Amino acid sequence: MEAVYSGSAMPGGCVIGVDLGGTKLLAGVVDRDLVVHHRASRRSPSADAEELLSQVVSTVVEARDASETDVLAVGFGIPSSLDVSFRDVIAERVGMPVFAGGAATLAMLAEHRYGAARGASDAVLLTLGAGIGGALVVGGRLVTGTAVSPGHMVVDLDGPPCACGSSGCLETLASGSALGREGARVARAASDSALGAALEAGRSITGALVTELAHDGDRAARDVVALVGMRLGVGIANLVNLLGSSVVVIGGGMVAAGDMLLEPARTVVRERALPGSREAVSIVPARFGEEAGMLGAALLAFDGLGSAAAAA
Ligand SMILES: [Zn+2]
């Protein structure tokens, strides 16, 4: 990756960016040019807070021990379900300053500063994973401190129940979990497809598996990805009508589906968003892909160190 960060005049050293997603915990040792020197990850982070804390600490320590350069701080993207005291406990256990922000907000920080939304005055980012997270740039500024929850925008009055207590929310229809669920439904009906064969072989039908089979050319899997892409397009059309965003960045694990997912979404937006908005908006994958959140967390740590130095 080309060098993209030439921030403050502080001397070398790295930070660790941590992205805590629903299905994966990813930590990376990152330098000021946003080059990732080491990665450490854990699959299926625990739902138990104490266990999760241990997993985070051990992942950070593993990344730090692998680094040949000094690690100065940790930036941490936390899902909105975790409270801020988490940050203080981690700082104490790893013995470094820890800076925390919302996971999707940090992905947008990286994408707006150096990635797919660079220079945009109004942009929205959706992270498609186990759920759907979101972040906004309004008037050229990243919106922080306010929870943005596009995943709970209701797009189907009679849709499936959602963890939030409502039903028909966008994340019940267009998240990675929804892709897996839809894939399982189609697998049962299409036993002659690769998707059906996978189910018969006892594999669990996840969003990642559906995406993999779609890339391999399985028609049933491709249809599922396209259907989820159309639903995503409905959500995006609503957001664009509401916010007037000119750039919509799609991040999170589902970005691996690429244009198989995004092209049906673009078609729906062209049909459904208001004239003026529908021509102006571009729907693009995150430049930093699944690592946008981790890199944004690293940027937050560098920014935090910079202001700490300025305040000293
Ligand atoms: Zn919901």
Side-chain angles (χ1 to χ4, degrees):
M1 176 135 327
E2 67 183 287
V4 290
Y5 189 88
S6 47
S8 72
M10 283 189 64
C14 288
V15 298
I16 293 176
V18 182
D19 186 21
L20 181 51
T23 55
K24 192 177 177 186
L25 165 62
L26 174 65
V29 178
V30 180
D31 70 20
R32 284 180 183 280
D33 292 324
L34 276 199
V35 174
V36 183
H37 293 262
H38 299 281
R39 291 173 178 79
S41 64
R42 301 283 185 276
R43 292 241 158 245
S44 311
S46 175
D48 175 74
E50 188 54 38
E51 228 170 279
L52 181 60
L53 196 59
S54 305
Q55 285 175 335
V56 169
V57 170
S58 76
T59 312
V60 168
V61 168
E62 183 188 324
R64 183 185 61 192
D65 290 351
S67 172
E68 288 133 25
T69 324
D70 278 352
V71 175
L72 307 170
V74 179
F76 191 37
I78 47 175
S80 48
S81 53
L82 286 177
D83 72 69
V84 182
S85 63
F86 208 72
R87 179 188 64 190
D88 300 333
V89 180
I90 291 171
E92 200 181 299
R93 295 223 198 150
V94 300
M96 281 185 276
V98 174
F99 303 92
T105 306
L106 295 181
M108 182 59 117
L109 176 64
E111 292 294 329
H112 186 236
R113 214 178 271 181
Y114 303 112
R118 187 171 186 171
S121 66
D122 294 278
V124 55
L125 174 136
L126 299 175
T127 56
L128 308 181
I132 294 181
L136 299 176
V137 166
V138 176
R141 299 181 73 91
L142 179 65
V143 175
T144 59
T146 310
V148 178
S149 307
H152 298 288
M153 160 173 53
V154 177
V155 292
D156 181 355
L157 197 58
D158 303 310
C162 181
C164 75
S166 181
S167 61
C169 297
L170 185 64
E171 77 170 38
T172 68
L173 296 164
S175 63
S177 316
L179 181 63
R181 230 173 15 249
E182 201 62 50
R185 186 183 66 77
V186 169
R188 286 191 289 273
S191 52
D192 56 341
S193 65
L195 201 52
L199 181 69
E200 225 152 87
R203 298 182 70 180
S204 86
I205 308 295
T206 60
L209 178 61
V210 174
T211 302
E212 185 192 315
L213 295 176
H215 275 301
D216 291 346
D218 183 51
R219 188 56 196 260
R222 282 180 164 255
D223 287 349
V224 174
V225 173
L227 173 65
V228 170
M230 287 166 64
R231 292 168 169 175
L232 176 65
V234 172
I236 293 173
N238 289 338
L239 288 168
V240 166
N241 285 348
L242 182 68
L243 300 164
S245 311
S246 57
V247 181
V248 178
V249 183
I250 303 299
M254 262 172 85
V255 80
D259 277 342
M260 287 188 297
L261 179 78
L262 298 189
E263 208 36 61
R266 291 182 186 117
T267 302
V268 168
V269 171
R270 276 195 298 271
E271 291 165 359
R272 301 229 181 187
L274 287 170
S277 295
R278 65 187 175 209
E279 297 85 7
V281 67
S282 53
I283 300 167
V284 292
R287 173 186 171 186
F288 301 114
E290 288 188 64
E291 298 202 325
M294 184 263 279
L295 292 172
L299 286 174
L300 178 76
F302 278 122
D303 287 356
L305 285 173
S307 47

